Amino acid sequence: MSVTFNHTIIAATDRNESARFFRELLELPEAPSWGPFTNVQLDGGVLLQFAEPPVEIQMQHYAFLLDDDLFDRAYRRLCEAGVEHWADPQMTRPGETNTEHGGRGVYFKDPAGHAIELITRPYL
């Protein structure tokens, strides 16, 4: 059997708000949810499972590969919503995108404070 990525649990202060943020930003349909999880399904059946842990949330980094058209729409939504964003992970180039790795990219924080990256070309 080959190895594929299936799911991850993302800590959230409000699991429904975080799931809604990603669904709206990335134009994803609602997915069935259960128990302590509010799920978002990506292509290939990959699940992002948002949950509210009873501990302090530590920032994690999540990167999403988008096609150029979806990147344009997602970036426009970030700007229209006033989401602070940067061209670099060090947050030294505010309000910009980058052209690294032959594509475009942007960094911002989700509602729970995780570092999110949208890119149009994979690193490798």
Side-chain angles (χ1 to χ4, degrees):
M1 176 179 192
S2 64
V3 176
T4 58
F5 186 74
N6 182 261
H7 70 276
T8 191
I9 298 171
I10 300 176
T13 51
D14 180 326
R15 65 187 181 146
N16 295 312
E17 176 189 18
S18 288
R20 183 176 48 256
F21 175 83
F22 281 95
R23 278 195 318 269
E24 291 174 1
L25 180 67
L26 302 176
E27 301 176 2
L28 299 167
E30 290 202 32
S33 296
W34 55 83
F37 305 113
T38 301
N39 298 323
V40 172
Q41 189 169 27
L42 307 178
D43 288 346
V46 174
L47 283 181
L48 304 179
Q49 297 188 287
F50 295 92
E52 299 167 2
V55 296
E56 182 180 342
I57 295 174
Q58 298 297 310
M59 183 189 73
Q60 298 293 311
H61 173 74
Y62 300 96
F64 297 89
L65 178 63
L66 312 178
D67 66 32
D68 287 302
D69 291 336
L70 181 52
F71 182 92
D72 289 338
R73 294 190 305 272
Y75 183 67
R76 185 171 47 251
R77 281 190 283 278
L78 287 173
C79 292
E80 288 171 355
V83 175
E84 192 172 15
H85 60 279
W86 303 269
D88 61 321
Q90 296 81 18
M91 299 184 285
T92 64
R93 295 173 51 201
E96 298 179 35
T97 62
N98 68 59
T99 54
E100 305 297 324
H101 306 283
R104 294 178 293 153
V106 65
Y107 296 83
F108 57 95
K109 294 196 175 175
D110 78 349
H114 296 297
I116 308 301
E117 179 182 9
L118 304 180
I119 55 175
T120 61
R121 300 294 179 274
Y123 288 168
L124 298 177

